[in-house]
């Protein structure tokens, strides 16, 4: 259902139509201008969809409210193994809610939450949870914001003489 710009109202209608669905395995609903309300509606029926193992809700306008609703569903979900929620507007609050939900979730193995607005501290906490849980084989957090503290954490173990300034590139044009 991707690339249709359906928005929250139609996403909510789709969620209601899928409630108690026993056969759908993958729901790809990216690039649809879905915000917190639509994500909340999908989260609200997530646990009644007994066969759903993959949810791709990337490239929308989901913020902290939608992420928190999805996190609440993840805490008790027993079927979802892959969640793509990249390229949204999720901030630290929503990402932290998802991180806490991962501690309770027993089935999710892949989470892609890249390209949102998540601080390096939250990204580090998510990665720490991944290290503790054998179920989580892949978590992608790249493309989120890194402030000066985050940059310091990334480079703290890099020897000072290993950081070089790259030479200015040369461009040659052939006409």
């Amino acid at each position: 259902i991707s690339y249709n710009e359906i928005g929250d109202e139609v996403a909510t209608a789709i969620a209601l139509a899928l409630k108690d669905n026993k056969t759908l395995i993958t729901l790809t609903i990216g690039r649809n201008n879905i915000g917190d309300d639509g994500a909340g509606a999908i989260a609200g029926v997530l646990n009644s969809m007994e066969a759903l193992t993959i949810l791709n809700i990337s490239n929308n306008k989901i913020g902290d409210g939608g992420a928190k609703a999805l996190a609440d569903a993840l805490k008790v979900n027993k079927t979802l193994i892959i969640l793509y929620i990249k390229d949204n507007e999720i901030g630290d609050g929503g990402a932290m809610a998802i991180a806490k939900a991962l501690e309770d979730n027993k089935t999710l193995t892949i989470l892609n939450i890249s390209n949102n607005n998540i601080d390096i501290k939250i990204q580090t906490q998510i990665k720490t949870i991944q290290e503790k849980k054998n179920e989580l084989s892949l978590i992608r957090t790249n493309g989120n914001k890194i402030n000066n503290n985050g940059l310091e954490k990334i480079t703290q173990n890099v020897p000072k003489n290993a950081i070089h300034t790259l030479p200015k590139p040369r461009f040659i044009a052939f006409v």
Side-chain angles (χ1 to χ4, degrees):
I1 309 175
S2 295
Y3 295 92
N4 287 297
E5 300 298 319
I6 61 174
D8 286 336
E9 190 174 329
V10 175
T12 300
I14 289 170
L16 291 174
L18 291 174
K19 186 175 194 239
D20 298 321
N21 181 290
K22 309 285 186 232
T23 58
L24 186 67
I25 296 169
T26 301
L27 177 59
T28 301
I29 195 162
R31 293 193 187 270
N32 275 310
N33 209 25
I34 297 170
D36 290 342
D37 292 340
I42 291 166
V45 300
L46 196 60
N47 292 320
S48 70
M49 299 172 66
E50 294 177 358
L52 190 70
T53 57
I54 301 170
L55 175 60
N56 184 343
I57 194 163
S58 297
N59 299 93
N60 281 294
K61 297 190 181 303
I62 300 167
D64 286 346
K68 288 175 183 177
L70 287 165
D72 288 342
L74 281 176
K75 286 178 187 175
V76 294
N77 184 275
K78 292 177 176 47
T79 61
L80 204 62
I81 58 172
I82 299 172
L83 175 60
Y84 296 111
I85 192 166
K86 67 184 188 99
D87 294 303
N88 277 287
E89 298 171 0
I90 299 168
D92 294 343
M96 194 62 215
I98 289 173
K100 286 182 180 176
L102 292 176
E103 293 175 348
D104 297 324
N105 184 282
K106 304 287 185 235
T107 58
L108 200 70
T109 59
I110 296 173
L111 170 66
N112 188 338
I113 194 167
S114 57
N115 299 321
N116 280 285
N117 296 310
I118 305 167
D119 187 75
I120 190 72
K121 289 185 292 188
I122 307 298
Q123 294 175 58
T124 303
Q125 286 178 305
I126 293 171
K127 293 289 189 177
T128 300
I129 291 167
Q130 179 187 12
E131 290 169 4
K132 291 179 184 175
K133 294 190 64 152
N134 291 334
E135 298 93 7
L136 288 167
S137 60
L138 176 66
I139 296 181
R140 298 208 52 190
T141 61
N142 58 299
N144 284 290
K145 63 183 177 182
I146 298 177
N147 59 21
N148 285 341
N149 291 338
L151 189 57
E152 286 174 16
K153 284 182 183 180
I154 291 170
T155 59
Q156 70 185 3
N157 294 323
V158 177
K160 298 292 182 212
N161 61 355
I163 300 173
H164 301 284
T165 304
L166 296 174
K168 196 173 193 177
R170 290 185 178 166
F171 295 97
I172 301 173
F174 296 95
V175 203

